[in-house]
Amino acid sequence: MIQMNNVVKKYPNGVVAANGISVDIKQGEFVYVVGPSGAGKSTFIKLMYREEKPTSGEVIIAGTNLSTLKNRQVPYLRRQLGVVFQDFKLLPRLNVYENVAFALEVIEEHPKTIRKQVMDVLDLVGLKHKVRMFPNELSGGEQQRVSIARSIVNMPKVVIADEPTGNLDPETSWEIMNIFEEINARGTTVVMATHNREIVNAIRKRVIAIEGGLIVRDVDGGDYGYEG
Ligand code: ADP
Ligand code: ADP
């Protein structure tokens, strides 16, 4: 589902954030990406949704080679792939319903289909009763639920999350993890960069550790492996 072949990413300032990364993530896997700050986790994630392009090497997502993808084709990629951020990135002037519906409206999905899919995913994240609320009326955990609902409303094959629990208290973080586990149980591949040692050690999944732009460990059911 996700393949990287010898990917190098050198930023214009000379920093090499990916230094020859090769990885193969199969459909239905749940993968944590761990490592110290500055190790290259966000870059690894950004290369997957083509927020950054590799300096050399290949990134292939659901059969699409991102290196040869034209800019105008990027929206098609984004339909195969949901993205969840630490800071939610909701549209402040749109209510919960509209934030989730937005991705379907831009692709001119049928209105009935939009309503059904939006209400289905809001039900999955437990926010059906708050459809008319605006982001600033919601707790952090609720905002993250909206952002997850938005990421899956297109029924993507892959959901990528960069520190999705980074701004949340421990209890809310566990609730958010339950939602990711449910999404994964339905067959969606999940790739999650995280610093949350308790979660990684408790909900055992494949762990990819990155240091200095290199994969230094890749273990099924592995632990977090860093102190503090
Ligand atoms: P992590 O997510 O593990 O903290 P990042 O991928 O954000 O790591 O960063 C890896 C390295 O690349 C760091 O040294 C960081 O300063 C650098 N870096 C990240 N983004 C950029 C950028 N847009 N321009 C220049 N350097 C960057
Ligand atoms: P109905 O068919 O009963 O009018 P819809 O299928 O239009 O309901 O919508 C399903 C749910 O989504 C309802 O609870 C409705 O209030 C809500 N909803 C639809 N559009 C919006 C919107 N733009 N903002 C907030 N809630 C909406």
Side-chain angles (χ1 to χ4, degrees):
M1 186 56 60
I2 299 172
Q3 240 184 301
M4 288 195 190
N5 298 322
N6 211 12
V7 169
V8 172
K9 176 64 190 182
K10 187 175 182 179
Y11 285 111
N13 62 358
V15 172
V16 178
N19 197 8
I21 288 190
S22 296
V23 75
D24 192 353
I25 297 172
K26 304 275 185 236
Q27 174 161 15
E29 278 200 89
F30 193 125
V31 180
Y32 296 119
V33 180
V34 305
S37 279
K41 302 180 297 296
S42 286
T43 301
F44 180 70
I45 295 278
K46 285 175 181 171
L47 287 162
M48 288 181 196
Y49 65 95
R50 209 176 184 261
E51 178 71 14
E52 295 290 349
K53 290 182 187 177
T55 309
S56 63
E58 285 185 321
V59 182
I60 301 164
I61 307 286
T64 304
N65 188 331
L66 304 198
S67 317
T68 54
L69 195 70
K70 304 271 185 294
N71 283 333
R72 65 183 155 76
Q73 295 171 310
V74 171
Y76 295 92
L77 167 72
R78 300 281 162 85
R79 277 170 231 174
Q80 310 258 19
L81 197 129
V83 188
V84 176
F85 303 94
Q86 177 171 0
D87 59 356
F88 324 131
K89 297 198 193 300
L90 299 175
L91 296 166
R93 291 174 184 281
L94 301 187
N95 68 27
V96 165
Y97 182 95
E98 293 159 347
N99 262 283
V100 177
F102 190 72
L104 295 175
E105 278 160 1
V106 295
I107 61 171
E108 294 177 1
E109 191 57 83
H110 192 281
K112 259 193 182 154
T113 311
I114 294 182
R115 276 203 293 276
K116 169 142 182 34
Q117 283 181 215
V118 171
M119 295 314 286
D120 281 355
V121 291
L122 285 174
D123 195 23
L124 171 69
V125 301
L127 275 185
K128 224 175 163 172
H129 57 299
K130 298 209 169 170
V131 283
R132 291 180 191 282
M133 306 269 256
F134 286 85
N136 67 1
E137 301 175 295
L138 301 174
S139 70
E142 287 170 337
Q143 290 183 60
Q144 193 58 298
R145 287 165 189 267
V146 177
S147 137
I148 294 170
R150 175 185 60 186
S151 79
I152 59 171
V153 74
N154 276 334
M155 302 181 192
K157 298 191 178 83
V158 181
V159 171
I160 289 169
D162 196 352
E163 297 272 359
T165 62
N167 282 341
L168 305 176
D169 61 61
E171 194 187 324
T172 308
S173 299
W174 288 106
E175 291 164 11
I176 292 297
M177 287 306 298
N178 288 339
I179 298 172
F180 279 110
E181 282 204 278
E182 175 61 27
I183 291 168
N184 180 242
R186 295 176 179 205
T188 308
T189 308
V190 176
V191 180
M192 179 183 297
T194 185
H195 278 123
N196 198 316
R197 181 165 40 107
E198 288 72 27
I199 283 173
V200 173
N201 288 343
I203 309 175
R204 293 282 175 141
K205 305 287 184 188
R206 180 173 172 187
V207 175
I208 293 177
I210 297 184
E211 290 177 28
L214 284 169
I215 293 179
V216 294
R217 181 162 56 100
D218 183 349
V219 189
D220 280 324
D223 66 5
Y224 183 73
Y226 297 95
E227 297 300 317

